[in-house]
Amino acid sequence: MTDPILNIHNLTKRFGGNTAVSGINLQVMPRETLAIIGPNGAGKTTFYNMVSGRMQPTEGTVELNGHDITGLKPHKISRMGVSRSFQINNIFPEMTVRQNVEVALSAFHGYSRKLFNLASGNRKVQEEADELLNRLSIGELSSQRAGIISYGDKRLLEIAVVLATRPKLVLLDEPTAGMTPEETRRVTKLIRSLADSGDYTFLITEHDMGVVFDLADRILVMHRGESLAVGTVEEVKNNPDVKKAYLGEDEDDEDGEKEAAV
Ligand SMILES: Nc1ncnc2c1ncn2[C@@H]1O[C@H](COP(=O)(O)OP(=O)(O)OP(=O)(O)O)[C@@H](O)[C@H]1O
Ligand SMILES: [Mg+2]
């Protein structure tokens, strides 16, 4: 049997009296796409912060390919093949699209910031940046200033930056948030093709259930920091606890399924 790429045991984060993530157990298999859903404040980003090393867990362990990475610094975890995007757009607006990727590539290849200019003149780095940008369908924008490209293209650029470190495990935090339906379709399709390439294992937090159902092999439903359910799309859709909490069979959900889309 294949070993999991990620093995999470009892992962917990408390902020004072507030338990943001509570006793999560989860195994993620290589090349799987796992969506993490749950309403605002459910603990999704905090979960990412612990997996990627930005936050120390209060309790619990994170194993990557059988190695305990709990509490390691983010750059160490990144070196081990984990890369993440942020919920908020995180690119350098004054640089060109290609330079944004080159900065990430340069850091990955061990060039210091001072050497960035040298690195960006490096043909190999340029080619690698172009290849990534093409893969994300924004190759034709490479000479544009990143600040002026469309919102959807910025989010794609962010994914290119995330992939520059050649990760095995990619954590995307709401990759389609704030997008038009057209942009959402485009980004979903691209993530689908990256997932299908077999090069990556994806964790994706999303509020748009269309995207989740389209991309996810399995879904983790978080609710007030806890794992409410884990399973395939069908299993989660039919889970009575999930239905009760999210799918319009409870309290204040005037917008029905859409709002329930958490
Ligand atoms: N640095 C922090 N200090 C204190 N409390 C925090 C911190 N980060 C998150 N929290 C709290 O932890 C809980 C979970 O927040 P988190 O951002 O992980 O939720 P989320 O599921 O990502 O929500 P959203 O869908 O809005 O992005 C919330 O109650 C939040 O206020
Ligand atoms: Mg979040």
Side-chain angles (χ1 to χ4, degrees):
M1 216 188 85
T2 322
D3 292 326
I5 184 167
L6 191 66
N7 193 355
I8 305 251
H9 178 65
N10 187 35
L11 201 63
T12 300
K13 182 71 184 179
R14 280 189 279 275
F15 297 107
N18 177 14
T19 305
V21 173
S22 180
I24 299 279
N25 295 302
L26 179 72
Q27 292 196 331
V28 182
M29 302 310 285
R31 292 174 291 284
E32 182 176 31
T33 297
L34 182 109
I36 304 179
I37 66 169
N40 297 119
K44 305 179 296 292
T45 298
T46 306
F47 179 82
Y48 274 11
N49 285 336
M50 290 189 283
V51 173
S52 64
R54 256 171 95 85
M55 278 181 187
Q56 298 268 347
T58 312
E59 278 175 43
T61 52
V62 181
E63 271 181 24
L64 181 73
N65 288 318
H67 301 286
D68 188 346
I69 60 163
T70 320
L72 291 186
K73 294 268 183 282
H75 70 272
K76 285 236 165 93
I77 293 179
S78 163
R79 284 265 150 212
M80 294 172 82
V82 180
S83 187
R84 69 173 287 185
S85 74
F86 289 86
Q87 205 163 344
I88 298 167
N89 210 267
N90 194 34
I91 56 175
F92 299 112
E94 298 302 327
M95 289 186 173
T96 68
V97 166
R98 189 201 273 119
Q99 281 170 336
N100 267 274
V101 178
E102 286 175 346
V103 169
L105 286 169
S106 306
F108 175 69
H109 289 302
Y111 298 104
S112 73
R113 270 185 190 261
K114 271 196 196 135
L115 286 177
F116 165 65
N117 284 339
L118 267 179
S120 68
N122 177 320
R123 173 89 64 92
K124 239 183 113 231
V125 171
Q126 279 175 8
E127 280 174 7
E128 211 176 324
D130 284 338
E131 194 187 314
L132 262 174
L133 291 169
N134 287 333
R135 205 163 175 191
L136 272 301
S137 80
I138 49 173
E140 77 282 9
L141 301 177
S142 63
S143 308
Q144 301 262 356
R145 205 163 59 78
I148 62 157
I149 64 176
S150 74
Y151 179 75
D153 289 333
K154 280 182 188 145
R155 298 303 308 253
L156 286 171
L157 173 55
E158 265 187 328
I159 297 177
V161 168
V162 166
L163 299 185
T165 55
R166 295 189 200 158
K168 283 289 161 209
L169 177 65
V170 181
L171 280 48
L172 299 179
D173 205 348
E174 302 196 23
T176 73
M179 286 188 178
T180 64
E182 184 55 43
E183 286 173 329
T184 298
R185 268 193 295 279
R186 182 165 163 233
V187 171
T188 306
K189 211 171 139 204
L190 274 160
I191 297 173
R192 173 88 268 163
S193 76
L194 292 169
D196 288 346
S197 74
D199 295 339
Y200 307 103
T201 304
F202 280 108
L203 299 190
I204 302 177
T205 73
E206 256 299 335
H207 286 272
D208 181 329
M209 293 309 276
V211 175
V212 169
F213 293 156
D214 207 353
L215 292 180
D217 297 313
R218 285 191 305 149
I219 301 175
L220 163 67
V221 186
M222 288 185 70
H223 187 52
R224 296 186 183 140
E226 293 180 1
S227 164
L228 188 68
V230 194
T232 63
V233 171
E234 283 313 308
E235 283 165 358
V236 163
K237 271 184 182 169
N238 294 321
N239 182 298
D241 293 335
V242 176
K243 282 188 183 171
K244 192 166 168 218
Y246 300 121
L247 298 182
E249 297 186 1
D250 211 347
E251 54 218 27
D252 50 2
D253 76 321
E254 285 155 29
D255 296 309
E257 279 222 14
K258 193 155 191 312
E259 186 61 31
V262 289

